[in-house]
Amino acid sequence: MLKNRHIQGWLQASPLTLILIGFLILPIITIVVVSFWQATEFSIIPGFSFENYEFLFGSPVTYKVFFATFKYAAITWAMTLAIGFTVAYYLAFHIQNQTTQIALFLLCTIPFWTSNIIRMISWIPFLGRNGIANSMLQSWGITDQPLEWLLYSDFSVILAFVHLYTLFMVVPIFNTMTRIDHSLIEAARDNGASGFQTLTHVILPLTKPGIMIGTIFVLTLVMGDFITVRFMSGSQKANVGRLISNDIALLQYPSAAATAVILLITVLIVIGILLRFVDIRKEL
């Protein structure tokens, strides 16, 4: 009987296992293998060589690009966490009516009804030299001339990232907060805890799994993004995603694969560090 159950369980899991192998494991293995190949201007040479990795680790551009990627990821994470936690906290603890909660939460998802590119490009006419933001600042007398740094700068790139990915922080935090027993908050208040003490000693510790899930979402999305940096910086800034994209455009697939492998390892290390702080399996 136990053997039959084991076989039945394996048969039920086998389709998902095949999908996982075919669409995740094999592509990653392929990328790793290609990263050791060589490429010329006209052809790709299958073989085994550390040339691509030697070039990457020996080039100062690689370190600058990875630093820029980490900078974008860290600033975006901090801003999405602040906004996401505030929105989730308001929805979970200040809106008592469940229907209103759902309505406001769906309101947050309205921007996601359009594509990322459309939402990102919509900032360009707003932040441009003759855009709405500069026109308003000048009409109010705040500035005498257009602010050049509003568009095609680190500011515009990070603003677009925050706009695109804040919801990925809101959802897991809100989901975690709705599971918090309100009697714990009442008990903290009855024992004389202030609002700040209740937040730091009760709500924050219980919300850690949601914060970690949101952090993983945001960091992985930002570190793997390339189109946002390209458009919002006017091709003046670069991150790892753009480095890979440029190599692919030049048909330098082995170099792009090597960069992708390094990025993958970096992201896995970051996720591994985050998972040491909290067990998110309870939330999944």
Side-chain angles (χ1 to χ4, degrees):
M1 179 67 69
L2 184 62
K3 184 178 180 179
N4 291 336
R5 288 181 180 178
H6 179 75
I7 295 174
Q8 185 178 4
W10 185 87
L11 291 174
Q12 290 175 347
S14 58
L16 294 177
T17 303
L18 292 175
I19 292 174
L20 182 65
I21 293 173
F23 291 94
L24 180 63
I25 305 300
L26 287 180
I28 291 176
I29 293 175
T30 302
I31 291 172
V32 173
V33 171
V34 173
S35 71
F36 291 101
W37 291 2
Q38 294 175 300
T40 65
E41 295 180 358
F42 308 103
S43 64
I44 296 176
I45 306 170
F48 186 85
S49 172
F50 288 101
E51 179 181 328
N52 298 310
Y53 292 99
E54 290 173 354
F55 175 78
L56 284 173
F57 287 112
S59 172
V61 175
T62 303
Y63 299 99
K64 291 180 181 179
V65 168
F66 269 88
F67 175 78
T69 303
F70 280 114
K71 179 183 67 176
Y72 290 142
I75 297 175
T76 303
W77 168 78
M79 296 186 70
T80 55
L81 176 59
I83 297 171
F85 188 90
T86 303
V87 172
Y89 181 86
Y90 176 76
L91 292 176
F93 297 110
H94 288 273
I95 305 299
Q96 302 300 326
N97 186 281
Q98 189 175 15
T99 303
T100 307
Q101 262 188 0
I102 296 173
L104 291 175
F105 180 76
L106 291 176
L107 186 65
C108 295
T109 67
I110 287 178
F112 281 75
W113 296 358
T114 59
S115 70
N116 279 10
I117 295 178
I118 293 175
R119 285 185 288 133
M120 174 185 58
I121 293 178
S122 65
W123 283 105
I124 295 178
F126 183 82
L127 299 173
R129 181 180 177 83
N130 299 314
I132 299 173
N134 272 316
S135 298
M136 291 175 61
L137 291 173
Q138 290 180 78
S139 63
W140 291 343
I142 298 176
T143 59
D144 297 326
Q145 56 186 3
L147 299 177
E148 301 290 347
W149 54 265
L150 288 181
L151 186 61
Y152 302 142
S153 62
D154 285 341
F155 171 81
S156 58
V157 172
I158 293 170
L159 179 63
F161 276 142
V162 172
H163 177 213
L164 292 174
Y165 301 134
T166 294
L167 190 63
F168 290 94
M169 188 68 79
V170 173
V171 172
I173 295 177
F174 174 71
N175 181 57
T176 305
M177 284 184 174
T178 55
R179 300 183 185 184
I180 295 177
D181 190 348
H182 284 235
S183 63
L184 297 174
I185 300 174
E186 295 292 336
R189 291 172 179 169
D190 292 342
N191 282 280
S194 64
F196 181 75
Q197 289 174 325
T198 303
L199 175 66
T200 55
H201 295 287
V202 178
I203 297 175
L204 266 177
L206 295 175
T207 314
K208 279 183 180 179
I211 293 174
M212 287 299 110
I213 293 174
T215 298
I216 291 172
F217 283 156
V218 171
L219 290 182
T220 53
L221 287 169
V222 173
M223 293 182 72
D225 188 285
F226 72 94
I227 197 70
T228 302
V229 176
R230 176 185 174 186
F231 279 103
M232 297 308 294
S233 71
S235 296
Q236 299 177 35
K237 306 291 180 180
N239 66 342
V240 180
R242 278 215 65 198
L243 192 63
I244 296 172
S245 176
N246 291 341
D247 281 339
I248 292 175
L250 296 172
L251 304 182
Q252 297 296 310
Y253 297 116
S255 178
T259 308
V261 169
I262 296 173
L263 177 61
L264 176 62
I265 293 173
T266 304
V267 172
L268 290 176
I269 291 173
V270 172
I271 293 175
I273 293 172
L274 292 174
L275 293 179
R276 293 184 66 87
F277 290 97
V278 65
D279 184 10
I280 64 172
R281 288 177 296 180
K282 296 179 181 178
E283 290 293 305
L284 301 176

